[in-house]
Amino acid sequence: MSDILCSLGLCMKAGKLIAGFNVVCDAIKQKPRDIIVFVTKDISDKTKKEVTFYADKYCVQVVSLPVTAVEINRILHKDFVVLAVTDIKLAGMIKSKCD
């Protein structure tokens, strides 16, 4: 789990991490091939359904993280339940740690 948080921190430092429902949905619309969306394990059913619907519309993958919004707060200093990594290699690295 801390490995995932460290990887997200690396993405943030590289400027490849975006967070928040609206920001992520805008990014999906603009560059769907370069994004993997990540949701925390404590996301509400309604929000997860909306993110999944929007991602499916643009053929973007959604991956559940084994971390909570409070744990995300440690690296972003704000509770987010929807994140996206805009570098496909970095996103793949995080996705492989979630399996």
Side-chain angles (χ1 to χ4, degrees), residues 19-62:
F21 178 81
N22 292 331
V23 178
V24 169
C25 287
D26 289 343
I28 289 171
K29 191 174 181 181
Q30 292 174 0
K31 296 182 182 182
R33 289 186 305 233
D34 301 333
I35 293 176
I36 293 181
V37 175
F38 295 95
V39 296
T40 60
K41 66 181 179 182
D42 59 345
I43 189 171
S44 73
D45 291 337
K46 181 180 181 245
T47 304
K48 187 172 184 176
K49 182 179 176 183
E50 289 175 6
V51 169
T52 303
F53 173 79
Y54 204 81
D56 286 347
K57 182 177 177 181
Y58 291 95
C59 299
V60 173
Q61 197 172 19
V62 178

Side-chain angles (χ1 to χ4, degrees), residues 31 69 81 86:
K31 296 182 182 182
V81 294
T86 59

